[in-house]
Amino acid sequence: TFDGETLASQDSVVTVAANASVELARLDLSPADGRAREGFVHARFTPEGGETVENVLFLAKPKELALPSPGIEVLSVSSEADNAFNVTLRAQRFAAWVWLRLEGVDADWSDNGFHLLPGERKVVTVRPVGARVSAAEVAKALLARSLTLSDG
């Protein structure tokens, strides 16, 4: 659920040929009966030696979702090479369509427009454009928004 309750969980080890499409599993969604507005299905596929791919399927139309205030936290901002910074975020509850910005500074983001699962940490790299700034300045200028959370 959006508050972090797991209604059902399923793990599978599968083999899929390159550029192939196969049915991996069928999910029993009955634990979510009557709770479609507060739930979602999260799928994660991690190929051997490859990059993890994730997706979220909502059980109701976006306008009907009972999204709580996500409680997004910036856990850290650390300096990297070439005027880049790693920003580590976490949400207490599901954060839908998170996007980040630096107030008064143009920036390129490694990811900007994502869902953040309850309790999950996500690291996003930001590169300010045309400005040399410190990690403290990035932390001060950083604004995190989601569908239910304004700047602040």
Side-chain angles (χ1 to χ4, degrees):
T1 65
F2 297 132
D3 288 326
E5 179 186 357
T6 299
L7 301 178
S9 179
Q10 180 177 327
D11 290 327
S12 302
V13 176
V14 297
T15 301
V16 179
N19 298 317
S21 176
V22 297
E23 181 178 302
L24 298 177
R26 288 187 180 254
L27 304 176
D28 175 15
L29 298 178
S30 63
D33 285 351
R35 300 178 72 183
R37 296 182 65 235
E38 61 188 83
F40 61 95
V41 173
H42 173 247
R44 178 179 288 144
F45 179 71
T46 306
E48 278 188 30
E51 188 173 328
T52 297
V53 178
E54 299 182 72
N55 204 352
V56 169
L57 169 69
F58 294 111
L59 302 177
K61 294 177 184 175
K63 69 179 184 177
E64 296 170 353
L65 297 175
L67 293 167
S69 177
I72 297 173
E73 303 170 89
V74 177
L75 300 177
S76 66
V77 176
S78 60
S79 298
E80 298 297 317
D82 299 324
N83 199 38
F85 302 88
N86 283 340
V87 176
T88 304
L89 305 165
R90 179 176 60 201
Q92 295 170 4
R93 290 162 296 282
F94 186 87
W97 295 286
V98 174
W99 69 98
L100 307 168
R101 68 184 178 105
L102 294 179
E103 191 168 40
V105 180
D106 288 333
D108 291 327
W109 302 87
S110 62
D111 196 357
N112 204 5
F114 51 87
H115 301 306
L116 199 52
L117 302 178
E120 178 184 60
R121 291 174 185 241
K122 181 167 182 77
V123 178
V124 178
T125 302
V126 58
R127 287 186 170 76
V129 176
R132 300 285 300 172
V133 295
S134 68
E137 290 170 315
V138 169
K140 185 176 180 182
L142 182 65
L143 298 171
R145 299 185 71 157
S146 73
L147 189 61
T148 58
L149 180 69
S150 303
D151 286 343

